[in-house]
Each structure stands twice: as structure tokens, then as C-alpha cells.
Amino acid sequence: MKRTPRRLALASAVVALSLFGAFAAFNTGSGAPSGVAVAHPGTTGFPDGPGGDWRPVFSDHFAGTVLDVTHWSTCYYWDCTNRSQPELEWYEASQVSVDNGTLSLTATPGQTHGKQYISGMISSYGKFSFTYGYMQVVAKLPSGQGLWPAFWTLPESGGWPPEIDVMENWAQTKTVHVFLHGAQSASEQDSLLVPTLSDRFHTYGVDWEPGSISWYVDGTLQAHFAISI
């Protein structure tokens, strides 16, 4: 049976994370299906990774001082926590801030809804989704025991799997983990050492194409797998 590709929505769901630059979606000039990416400030429509002729179809440069709510929500579509983990935080819009090109997500102690912390996240669910293409984020990650920054996707249908994790980091380490959660035969993962991930901004990207998926760090190919989603 041929598996039907699904539309995926972006989620940057983290304990603490700063995003710098711009979210932007890219199409290839050959007419391939669209995807999403994050471009560096000042770029003119090219992802920091795979070559080719691309055009942006979605972007957010985090200009000004207010989150663009036409692009992002500050909770999951089902709740303001992920009880299946289970997470110790409740996501609040107050923990999401924008300052002229940088979006920051912050965790602090705070008892609410039975949780011990409040934190920030953004999600494009119900506002933007894509099938195939390139997605990219420019991020400076936190350090500290218990922190878990991530940039990932979930199906717009609300089902699971698949899930593409552009990057996850257990913030007491200097390693970024990349995952594809699909059917049992389609699951893949790898670990990438990024020694300065908390010291400066790095670019993390995924090129999701029919039959393959590739991860990039700072524009350099780091992992590649054949897939069936």
C-alpha cells in the first residue's frame, strides 16, 4: 500500500530557546511541493543548506516587539502542555517575547494548572502547514539540567505519526538529536555534536522530499535517510 504524504505543522515547543532570523517556506523552482524554512536576516530567498532554485512561501522575521498571531499560536492545539511526556511546564503567552529580530521563549518557576513551571512555545498549527520542502531555524539554545529545546513538526490532521524533529537538545549536553518518527519501518535518528550551541546562533534545517530526508547544521549536510512518508 502506498503511504499518503501528510501536511505537517511546525512546533517550536521548548523550555527556553531564542530564535534569530526569519521563518520562511520554500518551493523549488521545478514545481515540487512546498515546505518551510528559516532564513538568515538579509537573505533574499535561499535556504541555508540544499542548493537549487527555491522560492519562499512563508516567513516571519520577528520584526518589532509583538508576536504575529496570524502565523503562530502559543499553545498546542489540544492543550497548553504535553501530558504524554509528561512535561513539567504549562505554556503561557507571557513567556513568548519578540525584540526586533529575536524571538525568546523563557521558562520560570510558577505553579499553574498543576504544573511547577511556566514556559513558552510557538506553533503554526491551523495557520500554516506543508507537504515536502525545506524547513530551517536559526537558534541559540539554553544550557541547564532539565531543559529540552526542540523544533519539530506534527500532522495537521491531529494524528500521529509521522513527526519530523529538526532538532532536539537535552540542554545539559552539547549534542543535537534528530528524529523521524514514522511507521516502525520508517523511524530514523541520529546525534550531532554542536559544541557551541549555547554560545552562539546556529542554523538547523531539514529537507523533506519524496523518498528521502536530510538534516543540515549551518548549511552542511549532517544526516540523510531514505524514507517512505
Side-chain angles (χ1 to χ4, degrees):
M1 180 183 298
K2 184 177 180 180
R3 192 171 302 160
T4 302
R6 307 188 192 185
R7 295 186 67 80
L8 299 182
L10 295 170
S12 179
V14 300
V15 177
L17 172 67
S18 293
L19 306 180
F20 179 68
F23 281 95
F26 288 86
N27 262 356
T28 59
S30 61
S34 65
V36 63
V38 180
H40 286 293
T43 57
T44 57
F46 297 94
D48 187 4
D53 184 14
W54 297 83
R55 67 178 181 86
V57 294
F58 173 84
S59 65
D60 192 340
H61 291 259
F62 303 119
T65 58
V66 179
L67 181 70
D68 186 347
V69 295
T70 66
H71 286 167
W72 308 108
S73 300
T74 55
C75 284
Y76 298 115
Y77 67 88
W78 65 84
D79 205 349
C80 288
T81 193
N82 190 351
R83 301 182 191 277
S84 65
Q85 288 298 334
E87 295 178 344
L88 298 179
E89 69 272 18
W90 188 265
Y91 296 109
E92 299 274 5
S94 61
Q95 304 303 106
V96 179
S97 61
V98 174
D99 184 14
N100 294 316
T102 301
L103 177 137
S104 297
L105 308 176
T106 304
T108 58
Q111 295 284 337
T112 182
H113 294 84
K115 299 294 184 178
Q116 303 173 40
Y117 301 91
I118 55 174
S119 187
M121 68 166 287
I122 57 173
S123 170
S124 74
Y125 180 82
K127 304 184 183 205
F128 175 79
S129 62
F130 65 101
T131 302
Y132 301 130
Y134 185 75
M135 49 184 163
Q136 179 177 294
V137 65
V138 183
K140 182 178 181 181
L141 307 184
S143 61
Q145 190 73 29
L147 303 180
W148 190 354
F151 175 50
W152 52 300
T153 66
L154 285 174
E156 189 181 48
S157 65
W160 189 94
E163 172 187 328
I164 298 173
D165 299 312
V166 181
M167 66 85 179
E168 294 187 9
N169 167 244
W170 298 298
Q172 62 272 25
T173 75
K174 297 296 185 181
T175 299
V176 168
H177 304 279
V178 299
F179 297 93
L180 168 68
H181 301 282
Q184 187 64 33
S185 61
S187 297
E188 301 287 358
Q189 63 179 358
D190 205 344
S191 298
L192 313 174
L193 180 64
V194 186
T196 58
L197 56 78
S198 296
D199 301 321
R200 61 185 180 87
F201 287 91
H202 290 276
T203 303
Y204 305 94
V206 160
D207 185 11
W208 174 35
E209 302 294 344
S212 70
I213 187 167
S214 304
W215 281 266
Y216 294 80
V217 176
D218 293 332
T220 300
L221 179 66
Q222 299 288 338
H224 174 83
F225 299 106
I227 61 172
S228 57
I229 64 169

